[in-house]
Amino acid sequence: MVQIKSSKYLDFLSQFGVGGAHPGGLSLTMEVLKNESIDETSHVLDVGCGTGQTAAYLTSRYDAKVTGIDIHPIMVEKAKKRMKKDQLPVEILQSSIENVPLQDAQFDLVLSESVLSFANASVALKEIYRLLKSGGRFIAIEMTINRPLDKTEETDLQQFYEFQSLLTEKDWIHLFEQTGFQHIHIHPQPSQQQDNAVLEDYHFSESIEPETFEVMEQHFEKVLKYQGILDYRIFTCTKG
């Protein structure tokens, strides 16, 4: 079974229980979902669901049947606690997106928020394509580099984040097309004010290791260092 590599950054997110670590947070996700046809008949897969913030919103707002998967055991535990506390019928599974123990063509919509860069993107996209019904929709809010990195930059980012895929917009589109996706659309990014509302939901662990705070500080240093280079895109596409 192919596994997404663990990283200190992902450990930091899990211990702090960050619900909206992807750019734009839940507010951006809500805006993107407004353009999709989601109702009580929809079966949705939230890839890398974290603490279950988006999954909870999908079932609360649309009454959709929602499944969430995440590779990190702490995130899975916190997502399950959220659903139990809020009495939401969301199934949460611990799984890598590169090898999901679910049957083909189950889902009307798959959502991925800052997940594919931590995986082998080509393998993960083939798995997402397999899981979607014919005509099913895929939404990806994913890390994107605005220019190719030099070797020093690439090593720096990979060593800290354990990124497996650092792709340009053109690279992403090529991978989507190669996988078989059609009607690929790039949505405009929100204003900077909206984009700053990222960390809006926390489910802290009872005990947080001191090293975790150091990782958090290093993360914010990386964000500043690579400002204008590390970016994101909002992609939507359809299974042919």
Side-chain angles (χ1 to χ4, degrees):
M1 176 177 177
V2 182
Q3 293 287 349
I4 296 174
K5 293 180 180 179
S6 178
S7 75
K8 291 180 180 180
Y9 171 69
L10 294 179
D11 289 341
F12 144 64
L13 290 182
S14 67
Q15 289 190 42
F16 274 76
V18 179
H22 65 281
L26 182 62
S27 59
L28 172 61
T29 304
M30 292 165 64
E31 284 301 310
V32 175
L33 291 173
K34 284 180 181 179
N35 298 316
E36 301 297 323
S37 300
I38 309 171
D39 58 27
E40 68 278 0
T41 67
S42 304
H43 193 178
V44 183
L45 177 65
D46 183 6
V47 170
C49 65
T51 65
Q53 183 187 44
T54 297
Y57 171 76
L58 277 161
T59 192
S60 298
R61 170 65 178 81
Y62 296 100
D63 200 26
K65 180 181 178 182
V66 182
T67 301
I69 65 170
D70 202 283
I71 190 64
H72 206 293
I74 295 176
M75 287 296 201
V76 170
E77 179 186 356
K78 290 180 178 181
K80 287 182 176 180
K81 283 183 179 179
R82 182 197 291 267
M83 303 314 164
K84 183 176 181 180
K85 177 178 177 293
D86 295 343
Q87 297 183 320
L88 297 173
V90 176
E91 182 180 17
I92 303 294
L93 304 173
Q94 184 178 351
S95 171
S96 164
I97 182 50
E98 295 171 357
N99 193 345
V100 184
L102 295 171
Q103 294 179 355
D104 296 357
Q106 283 197 42
F107 298 96
D108 301 286
L109 172 68
V110 175
L111 176 66
S112 167
E113 300 172 310
S114 291
V115 175
L116 299 182
S117 292
F118 296 95
N120 181 314
S122 178
V123 173
L125 284 171
K126 288 175 183 175
E127 191 71 339
I128 288 167
Y129 194 86
R130 177 185 71 81
L131 292 165
L132 277 168
K133 298 176 183 177
S134 179
R137 297 280 289 162
F138 176 45
I139 299 173
I141 304 173
E142 289 296 343
M143 184 77 69
T144 305
I145 53 175
N146 286 331
R147 63 159 174 80
L149 303 173
D150 63 37
K151 191 62 179 177
T152 301
E153 293 169 333
E154 185 176 343
T155 300
D156 183 34
L157 289 168
Q158 286 180 336
Q159 286 183 344
F160 181 74
Y161 291 105
E162 293 287 356
F163 287 142
Q164 293 191 51
S165 302
L166 285 166
L167 305 178
T168 64
E169 179 182 297
K170 185 177 180 180
D171 293 332
W172 280 119
I173 292 172
H174 176 70
L175 268 183
F176 293 143
E177 291 175 340
Q178 193 176 51
T179 305
F181 286 106
Q182 300 176 355
H183 310 299
I184 301 163
H185 181 65
I186 303 172
H187 294 255
Q189 296 181 9
S191 67
Q192 188 64 36
Q193 183 177 4
Q194 288 176 302
D195 194 42
N196 283 337
V198 175
L199 305 181
E200 55 190 27
D201 180 76
Y202 296 88
H203 288 253
F204 295 101
S205 296
E206 291 183 9
S207 176
I208 298 177
E209 300 172 3
E211 183 189 35
T212 304
F213 291 95
E214 296 176 14
V215 173
M216 177 176 66
E217 184 176 341
Q218 291 169 21
H219 163 60
F220 290 126
E221 288 174 356
K222 301 288 184 194
V223 170
L224 288 174
K225 181 178 179 180
Y226 292 100
Q227 190 171 19
I229 301 172
L230 270 185
D231 206 342
Y232 72 98
R233 297 292 188 276
I234 308 158
F235 301 99
T236 59
C237 49
T238 305
K239 178 175 178 175

